[in-house]
Amino acid sequence: MDHFTYKNGILHAEDVPLPDLAETIGTPFYCYSTATLQRHYRVFAEALTGLDAEIFYAIKANDNLAVIRTLAEAGAGADVVSGGEIRKVRAAGVAPDRIVFSGVGKTREEMAYALDAGILQFNVESEPELDALSDVARARDATVDIAIRINPDVDAGTHHKISTGRKDNKFGIAWPEARAVFAKAAELPGLAVRGVAIHIGSQLTQLAPFEQAFKIAVDAVRQLRSDGHAIDRLDLGGGLGVPYGIADPPSPADYGAMVKRVTAGLGCKLMFEPGRLIVANAGILVTRVIYVKRSAHKVFVITDAAMNDLIRPTLYGAHHAVVPVLQGRAEGTPEPVDIVGPVCESGDILAENREMVVPLADDLLVLRSAGAYAAVMASTYNARPLVPEVMVRGAAHAVVRKRQTYDELLATNALPDWMSP
Ligand SMILES: *Cc1c(COP(=O)(O)O)cnc(C)c1O
């Protein structure tokens, strides 16, 4: 459920009519609903009631400071994957002891920064990383809490580019081979081995792969305890899918019930890292039709948003529902259309073969479910400035990331001094 609904034929974000935002802000822009963010967080948290659980919102899904703050105020910590993300969550007001640091390629600089900030836990993904983290901690006379991410070799049944729990993925350390790595970690100075971590992929639409992986993780905790490790945390990662208008993923309640069943009696603090589930349907991308181009075979609706603004369709073949902002403005019988951007790539398709009443030039369209892995993945390809992000709360709105100006776009470029100005 979200808070983007029609009132008198006009699509609103909560109580804000989208044509008003398009008028004042210009298009394209991303728009986020506070009430939807809060609702999705609450639904997930309620599904975990009764468990000793903590939620760390995976900010890579949407790292806008206002989004992070909204979720932090609702009770979320943060799962981060870079030094830049640590800076973002701190700027948004997340307490250091609510931060978990994941990722396969943490540099020593990032480790030192995270350690000095006093984060809760490092999720380590390889043996060399273990050595590096031990060095960094020892140089500071510190001891850091770690979990080691195991790779259970489970097929998440999701798109191959967002599948992370197979043995040929770069993530985690294969189980049970990881037992030796836990043993090594216990010997290294500066490290306190606290947990097992797992994250098998994103946009999972079935519970079975989760259950299979969680059972392996639970067995790993038991095995590691009998090996002498004091494991008291189990990080189950994120990955629960959302309905993009095609698949029908399991509900958070069913997910929570399964987790309760699989982890019963384990006596670990459970940690969760949802990203997409919280933010995907709390955001939309608003765009304006520039031209409608008819060829003998196709109708192309050319919009001012493109693959550099929203790359998910190009990268993953992702589906975003497309709806008009004004109902009934375009007329006629539905036809298949391709909604494309101005970028000079044939892959610049936001929606392919959509059966819809062909919109008119200047019409506003909305790509739904654009709150996750959308604005964060934007680039300036084709020298297109980054588009703004707007947050709505009730009848109020605020621009929470400004549109990049052409001056800003050019500002980081420089000509070498051997070229005359
Ligand atoms: C990306 C990621 C997540 C979040 O995944 P979602 O599919 O957005 O829930 C959680 N944990 C780790 C380690 C990740 O890399």
Side-chain angles (χ1 to χ4, degrees):
M1 205 212 100
D2 62 49
H3 294 76
F4 300 103
T5 52
Y6 289 99
K7 296 173 189 172
N8 300 321
I10 302 168
L11 193 59
H12 284 59
E14 302 193 19
D15 298 327
V16 179
L18 289 172
D20 292 6
L21 289 184
E23 188 63 36
T24 54
I25 290 154
T27 54
F29 64 94
Y30 281 98
C31 179
Y32 307 130
S33 153
T34 302
T36 311
L37 288 169
Q38 291 168 336
R39 187 190 135 78
H40 289 175
Y41 182 81
R42 199 169 55 239
V43 166
F44 189 70
E46 282 170 6
L48 305 175
T49 312
L51 289 168
D52 178 13
E54 231 179 295
I55 299 171
F56 300 85
Y57 162 58
I59 75 149
K60 77 174 191 286
N62 186 322
D63 64 13
N64 186 282
L65 295 195
V67 170
I68 299 170
R69 171 71 72 95
T70 300
L71 295 171
E73 284 176 358
D79 173 63
V80 300
V81 294
S82 73
E85 286 196 350
I86 299 175
R87 285 164 175 85
K88 281 213 157 182
V89 299
R90 294 184 77 190
V94 177
D97 65 357
R98 304 296 315 283
I99 300 174
V100 172
F101 192 3
S102 303
V104 295
K106 305 176 192 78
T107 64
R108 286 168 190 251
E109 289 72 28
E110 288 175 316
M111 289 173 177
Y113 176 71
L115 203 156
D116 291 341
I119 69 160
L120 177 72
Q121 174 175 301
F122 289 78
N123 287 0
V124 177
E125 304 217 16
S126 69
E127 229 173 308
E129 185 190 338
L130 213 52
D131 289 322
L133 185 57
S134 172
D135 282 352
V136 171
R138 206 174 30 182
R140 290 172 153 66
D141 258 335
T143 301
V144 298
D145 285 344
I146 67 162
I148 294 177
R149 178 165 170 184
I150 63 169
N151 184 321
D153 193 23
V154 165
D155 184 355
T158 182
H159 190 277
H160 69 278
K161 283 184 184 158
I162 48 175
S163 201
T164 59
R166 294 305 299 272
K167 62 178 185 300
D168 51 357
N169 298 134
K170 69 181 175 183
F171 298 100
I173 305 173
W175 182 260
E177 291 88 317
R179 262 175 88 189
V181 181
F182 278 86
K184 173 179 171 164
E187 297 300 318
L188 286 173
L191 305 180
V193 184
R194 299 288 300 268
V196 170
I198 198 164
H199 172 71
I200 60 168
S202 198
Q203 185 54 15
L204 272 73
T205 53
Q206 304 290 329
L207 277 187
F210 280 124
E211 181 159 358
Q212 207 184 334
F214 294 175
K215 280 179 171 162
I216 292 169
V218 166
D219 288 346
V221 169
R222 297 211 163 98
Q223 176 68 57
L224 291 164
R225 281 177 176 161
S226 77
D227 291 348
H229 302 283
I231 305 292
D232 62 353
R233 296 178 187 165
L234 175 55
D235 183 339
L236 295 175
L240 191 53
V242 300
Y244 280 103
I246 35 178
D248 197 12
S251 70
D254 289 346
Y255 172 91
M258 181 273 289
V259 169
K260 277 173 208 172
R261 193 156 32 77
V262 173
T263 63
L266 189 64
C268 271
K269 172 175 285 298
L270 298 181
M271 302 164 69
F272 296 87
E273 303 168 346
R276 185 191 309 273
L277 179 77
I278 309 291
V279 292
N281 285 315
I284 57 173
L285 175 61
V286 182
T287 181
R288 198 179 283 282
V289 176
I290 307 176
Y291 302 116
V292 175
K293 175 176 172 176
R294 286 179 181 272
S295 76
H297 310 285
K298 281 257 184 193
V299 180
F300 294 104
V301 174
I302 303 169
T303 58
D304 60 4
M307 63 182 280
N308 69 297
D309 306 306
L310 177 69
I311 203 169
R312 297 190 66 258
T314 308
L315 191 60
Y316 311 127
H319 179 101
H320 289 269
V322 181
V323 295
V325 166
L326 297 181
Q327 281 177 324
R329 207 177 104 80
E331 289 177 341
T333 47
E335 293 176 63
V337 307
D338 281 6
I339 296 172
V340 302
V343 164
C344 295
E345 294 275 347
S346 295
D348 181 21
I349 301 175
L350 297 173
E352 196 166 9
N353 265 323
R354 282 310 157 77
E355 202 66 25
M356 65 191 292
V357 175
V358 180
L360 308 173
D362 284 335
D363 277 5
L364 292 169
L365 297 178
V366 158
L367 286 108
R368 299 183 63 103
S369 314
Y373 305 107
V376 278
M377 287 193 184
S379 77
T380 58
Y381 186 38
N382 279 206
R384 291 167 48 86
L386 296 175
V387 306
E389 296 171 80
V390 181
M391 181 170 274
V392 162
R393 192 183 75 160
H397 78 270
V399 175
V400 291
R401 186 182 73 188
K402 285 191 282 195
R403 187 183 303 280
Q404 192 177 32
T405 64
Y406 286 113
D407 283 346
E408 287 162 350
L409 188 69
L410 286 163
T412 49
N413 285 247
L415 288 172
D417 55 14
W418 64 81
M419 294 178 185
S420 48

